[in-house]
Amino acid sequence: MRPHDTSSNAPSSIPSDSSASPTLAGLSPETVRSILAFRDDRHWARFHEPKDLAIALSVEASELLNEFMWSGTDLRVETKKSGQAEELADVLIYAVLLADRLGLDLNDAVARKMAKNVRRYPVEAFRDEDLGEAARDVAERLRTEDRARCGAGAEGSSTGAEDAKPLIADAAPYRALLMKLETEGPDAAGGWKAVSANRMMFAVYAPETVALWKQVEADAQAAGVAAASLDARRADPADARAALAQLRAAVETERRSDGAFLEAVKSGEVPRALEVIVREAGTAVMSAAQATEVPEVNGHSGSQVPEAHPATQESLAAQAPRIGAGAPTLADDLALLAAIERDPAIAGREVDSPAGTFFIYAEDVNALRGRLAAFRIPNHWLALEAAGIRNPLEEAWARLPELDAEALRGVLTELLAAERDDSGFFARAAASGRVRRLLEALAEAFRRGW
């Protein structure tokens, strides 16, 4: 999309609404130039064929849908307003890039399409003089309510009904993590680890951190607190509601980018928010002696690297080849997966802790998960979309032999990511034989010369 004068080429048949919010005025020429400059500075234009940009736009639209998924009767999902804004921005960015690649002026294209809509759907055919004014009143009321709601979420205001109940249902997780950070330092929230040398790093979080995430999401959803904007996250929170909005933003960012919560802790954003919430809760930070001992939790799923499950060595004793002390081979990994299919108990076990119920993986199984993580790819939905796969955890298994390595790596990326929200998912997938079949298909794809 080339920078243009928005006052030209707009058909006069399009009615204007002077009451429309300035936020709906459209992208400014400066914003469009910044999008194109971002692309050009990185020399990405050579990758931007119209087909690929159209696919990317479709994928981003699907990610926007994800912000509304599983919301039941909640048609607005206002607690995810920041995520909705971010995904909608991605859709518009790709629309600008595609329009620029095709040599189109988006403002002119939209104006012409609206003129066509006016002709196809004349007002006279749909107007009811008795209902017209009422319909406009309803539209204006809904628009005003939605924008007021959005503003309330961003600014942290609340109604009397919200003030009547506590903002924080359980302050213990907030106190526990704040105590840990104050007594042990920012690194106590978690850190980066790898299963072996030259392997992909992944974030490992303390149980207090994982417990806080769950409480923050529950409290924010119950109180209707949206994630704070980037600018709001940089400021000191004025009250507990603003602090909760900052914590929710930090948790949501972690879901999209591994290790982001660690950065929020080290920058001081998380400790500041915790201090405000704990102070307003009117309780002191519990001492180290009061802290509950919980098993170390590894990663988002709450799994850790414990001693091998007692059944592991016994069940693998009959396997050939055995998993030796050296670097595991593909045959070793396949043998372990085959053993899990015969005896799922060797993958690990569930444990109960104050942070919830988590699946604890056996040491060799957790090491296998780390090796597989090295094959993950960024933007894996693009590879899946190109292969015609929309729901990889359900659709991919019957098509494994026909998929190329990139699509298989996309399926593997989604399988590993599912562990974040469903502790023990990898163990169940291994027990069903799906992980072994996926690994075999990936090895065959590499042998074909991918």
Side-chain angles (χ1 to χ4, degrees):
M1 181 164 115
R2 311 282 194 265
H4 56 271
D5 179 0
T6 58
S7 65
S8 63
N9 299 326
S12 58
S13 58
I14 304 300
S16 62
D17 180 4
S18 60
S19 67
S21 167
T23 60
L24 299 181
L27 299 179
S28 67
E30 292 75 17
T31 300
V32 172
R33 282 194 288 270
S34 71
I35 294 172
L36 300 181
F38 181 88
R39 175 200 65 191
D40 295 338
D41 290 346
R42 291 157 180 77
H43 308 290
W44 285 350
R46 65 187 189 277
F47 304 119
H48 287 184
E49 294 298 336
K51 180 264 295 183
D52 297 307
L53 289 171
I55 290 174
L57 191 154
S58 176
V59 170
E60 295 300 340
S62 297
E63 292 185 3
L64 175 59
L65 280 177
N66 189 54
E67 298 296 320
F68 296 88
M69 188 167 62
W70 311 124
S71 62
T73 58
D74 184 356
L75 304 183
R76 294 183 174 87
V77 197
E78 292 158 2
T79 56
K80 294 187 176 181
K81 189 72 71 176
S82 63
Q84 294 163 7
E86 186 169 316
E87 300 303 341
L88 183 58
D90 285 335
V91 172
L92 291 175
I93 288 169
Y94 276 114
V96 168
L97 293 172
L98 180 56
D100 182 73
R101 184 67 173 82
L102 295 175
L104 299 175
D105 184 314
L106 274 180
N107 187 69
D108 179 65
V110 171
R112 291 178 182 276
K113 179 60 176 176
M114 287 304 301
K116 185 176 181 180
N117 289 343
V118 168
R119 293 192 300 271
R120 291 181 64 187
Y121 307 103
V123 172
E124 293 76 14
F126 298 90
R127 173 178 292 161
D128 186 323
E129 295 299 339
D130 295 331
L131 298 178
E133 192 63 33
R136 282 188 288 274
D137 290 343
V138 170
E140 179 62 27
R141 177 176 59 80
L142 291 174
R143 181 170 65 179
T144 302
E145 288 179 355
D146 280 344
R147 288 173 185 164
R149 240 183 241 107
C150 181
E155 299 299 327
S157 63
S158 61
T159 65
E162 289 170 336
D163 291 336
K165 61 181 180 180
L167 179 69
I168 305 302
D170 182 5
Y174 300 87
R175 295 196 303 266
L177 183 57
L178 181 58
M179 177 277 300
K180 191 174 184 68
L181 296 178
E182 290 186 340
T183 56
E184 302 177 33
D187 291 338
W192 291 94
K193 289 188 179 181
V195 293
S196 61
N198 301 320
R199 294 293 184 183
M200 182 176 290
M201 301 288 287
F202 54 91
V204 179
Y205 286 98
E208 291 87 350
T209 305
V210 178
L212 174 73
W213 292 350
K214 292 185 176 182
Q215 192 64 48
V216 165
E217 291 182 325
D219 288 338
Q221 185 169 1
V225 175
S229 65
L230 182 60
D231 288 339
R233 291 180 64 178
R234 293 170 177 158
D236 291 338
D239 53 26
R241 192 175 184 86
L244 183 59
Q246 288 187 346
L247 290 175
R248 177 160 199 172
V251 173
E252 289 186 357
T253 305
E254 173 66 30
R255 299 298 186 193
R256 297 190 294 267
S257 177
D258 197 24
F261 195 84
L262 293 176
E263 296 302 318
V265 170
K266 292 180 179 179
S267 70
E269 175 189 343
V270 169
R272 289 194 302 268
L274 291 174
E275 287 174 2
V276 171
I277 289 178
V278 170
R279 182 176 66 248
E280 292 201 10
T283 54
V285 178
M286 60 182 181
S287 65
Q290 293 173 304
T292 305
E293 291 295 330
V294 231
E296 177 182 332
V297 176
N298 174 6
H300 305 283
S301 65
S303 59
Q304 68 180 63
V305 188
E307 293 298 322
H309 188 283
T312 303
Q313 296 303 323
E314 178 182 349
S315 300
L316 289 179
Q319 299 305 309
R322 283 288 307 279
I323 296 180
T329 64
L330 172 63
D332 294 331
D333 289 340
L334 293 176
L336 175 57
L337 290 169
I340 294 173
E341 292 174 39
R342 287 189 290 273
D343 182 8
I346 71 174
R349 67 189 188 279
E350 285 190 342
V351 297
D352 293 322
S353 77
T357 300
F358 302 115
F359 192 89
I360 307 299
Y361 282 95
E363 184 177 10
D364 45 5
V365 180
N366 214 35
L368 169 62
R369 292 169 62 207
R371 289 192 293 276
L372 293 178
F375 293 100
R376 293 182 302 184
I377 56 174
N379 300 322
H380 65 288
W381 282 106
L382 292 178
L384 295 172
E385 181 78 14
I389 298 176
R390 294 188 176 276
N391 193 338
L393 298 184
E394 294 182 6
E395 300 174 12
W397 311 110
R399 298 183 52 195
L400 289 181
E402 69 185 65
L403 299 179
D404 61 18
E406 196 73 1
L408 291 169
R409 292 175 69 190
V411 175
L412 177 61
T413 301
E414 185 67 12
L415 185 147
L416 294 174
E419 186 74 28
R420 290 188 173 191
D421 298 317
D422 188 358
S423 184
F425 181 89
F426 181 87
R428 295 192 296 276
S432 70
R434 291 183 171 185
V435 179
R436 176 180 54 80
R437 289 168 51 208
L438 177 57
L439 186 55
E440 289 173 340
L442 186 59
E444 179 59 30
F446 280 121
R447 278 194 288 267
R448 290 198 302 262
W450 174 81

